[in-house]
Amino acid sequence: MSSSESYGRSQNSVHDDAEKGLADVVIDMPQPPPRSVPPLLSPALSSTSTAVATPITTPNFSPKPSFISSAGSLAVVPYASPSIESKVEATTPAPAAPVATPDAAKTKPAAQRPESKVSRIIRARLWFNAYRKFFTFVLTFNVIGIALAAAGKFEYADHHIGALVLGNLLCAVLMRNEIFGRFLYLIVNTLFAKWTPLWFRLGCTSALQHLGGIHSGCATSGVLWLIYKVIDIFIHHNVNHDAVLVTGVLTNICVIVSIASAFPWVRNTHHNMFERHHRFVGWLGLAATWIFVILGDSYDSTTRTWRSGGGHLIGNQEFWFVLGMTVFVVLPWLFVRRVPVEVEVPSPKVAVLKFKRGMQQGLLGRISRTCALEYHAFGIISAGTKADCHYMICGVQGDFTRGLVADPPTHIWTRELKFAGVSNTSKLYKRGIRICTGTGIGAALSTCIQSRDWFLIWIGSDQEKTFGPTIAGLIYEHIEPERRVLWDSKKEGRRPDMMGLVRDAYTSFGAEVVFITSNWGGNQELMQGCKVEGIPAFGTLWDF
């Protein structure tokens, strides 16, 4: 295993992916009894089809709140719409969960996730998501183009293979550029929020969330076109200079290595290796591309002489494509700064980083101990753009986050230009549910703090002790009791019925969509459950 953060997705291991703000608390919880009524819900309410499930009440915010009592001992109240006056009728508290005896603890069965009974069709539809659809479409489109070019039926490719190579690579770079991504989110959130049909807004969110499919498809297609171009140069090597052949091969090697290092099984288990090869070999490939384009344009294959001057180069499409690639690769690095940071270590499992200035919801930030190596992305928690600070929750998983706990820094490197995540599209919806587990609260909390139209479900284990008073204070201060369900699995002694919580909150809150931040197993369980019940949902991705 690499010394960096682990990004594995095997269902047989625990995945607390700090970069995505995930947690492993769900996997370690005992299995709930089938179809049981969660203790957060009133038996009277859950016994009728017309009653709505309701969130638990919690104490009023205080500077040092007692975070979450056992859900079984809390009162249950029905949700009251902020726009309509309604009477809230308190229900009788549910009986407290029995205390397990030592003997019972010894014989307690190992925690297991319920066996999935989801049909293969549902699983196939979830697997073939928008990411794979984008990838398949882009790759198929380009492969057809290569086949036509090889058959001599694509005249444009005969004279502009380089433009097809660089056009694909430029598009790949663009899809991962923070500025371009923020621009797309801004346009969609500004023009289509709330008034457009729900299916259209869901489509916008899906497209923005899965831009990585276009990135991967264009990068792969660019390599295929590059291989085709180099083969074509070798076929006609008698009219090409050796320098052009050598730089073509070097460019091919660099781009192929850069792309191969981004394969999921590489980046998910060897993040440091992925980052170094994808970034630095990619930069080397960009430099080789410049040389390849300049030499290829400067050498006249007809006269077999070198042209002087750059006037002819500026008139070529290839020049402008590679210039665009360079600008979008360099631009994010102009925003790298070494900034002061305050680190709170409430437990050996978590470090809470505090930075200056407030942020809008739905953003993620990259941080590192060095200016160029080992950048890791975490969800940003902030009370709004006018707040004086924002936070990142870093769950201990690898050497980087372990170092934040063992040796807290006073300054850290970060890109001050943050990138948008799927939560940034929460503005599109009239109401929604944000469910997360463990450190996933880092990616979810800002959405519920900054908008009263979002309901928070946070499943964790001993959250106050693990995450400290800062995070507890933000929740109690900014999220009303009727907009939150906080499940402490340690005090409950079992994992909750997550789909039951989502289903009840979705119905009672009048939500349009569910956003999920969880580990691999929890994400699959919720995505499959929502698909079966027809609840629009967007889960965690492991593609950036």
Side-chain angles (χ1 to χ4, degrees), residues 55-58 82 448-449 451-456 475-485:
I56 60 174
T57 60
T58 50
C448 298
I449 286 178
S451 174
R452 290 177 55 86
D453 296 327
W454 280 80
F455 188 102
L456 175 66
I475 292 174
Y476 279 96
E477 182 178 9
H478 296 286
I479 304 178
E480 304 84 3
E482 61 268 19
R483 284 199 302 118
R484 64 181 187 236
V485 168

Side-chain angles (χ1 to χ4, degrees), residues 313-364:
L313 177 64
I314 295 177
N316 279 353
Q317 300 177 35
E318 289 86 347
F319 170 80
W320 295 105
F321 279 132
V322 74
L323 179 62
M325 286 175 57
T326 305
V327 169
F328 284 110
V329 167
V330 171
L331 201 55
W333 292 95
L334 300 180
F335 295 90
V336 172
R337 300 288 187 275
R338 186 172 180 266
V339 299
V341 62
E342 298 177 20
V343 181
E344 176 187 345
V345 184
S347 71
K349 299 179 180 179
V350 170
V352 179
L353 278 59
K354 180 181 179 181
F355 300 86
K356 294 181 179 179
R357 75 190 179 100
M359 296 277 179
Q360 63 171 286
Q361 63 85 31
L363 300 181
L364 297 95

Side-chain angles (χ1 to χ4, degrees), residues 52-53 79 81-82 198 201-202 426 428-435 448 452-457 482-483 501-515 530 533-538:
V52 293
Y79 169 73
S81 173
L198 178 59
R201 286 176 280 145
L202 293 173
S426 62
L428 294 176
Y429 303 98
K430 298 175 183 177
R431 286 200 165 186
I433 307 298
R434 198 64 173 86
I435 181 170
C448 298
R452 290 177 55 86
D453 296 327
W454 280 80
F455 188 102
L456 175 66
I457 301 175
E482 61 268 19
R483 284 199 302 118
L501 295 179
V502 169
R503 182 190 309 112
D504 295 327
Y506 179 82
T507 302
S508 63
F509 196 66
E512 292 183 320
V513 69
V514 175
F515 286 170
C530 288
E533 300 199 15
I535 298 175
F538 295 93

Side-chain angles (χ1 to χ4, degrees), residues 208-222:
L208 290 173
Q209 185 188 29
H210 296 98
L211 289 175
I214 302 177
H215 168 79
S216 301
C218 287
T220 305
S221 300

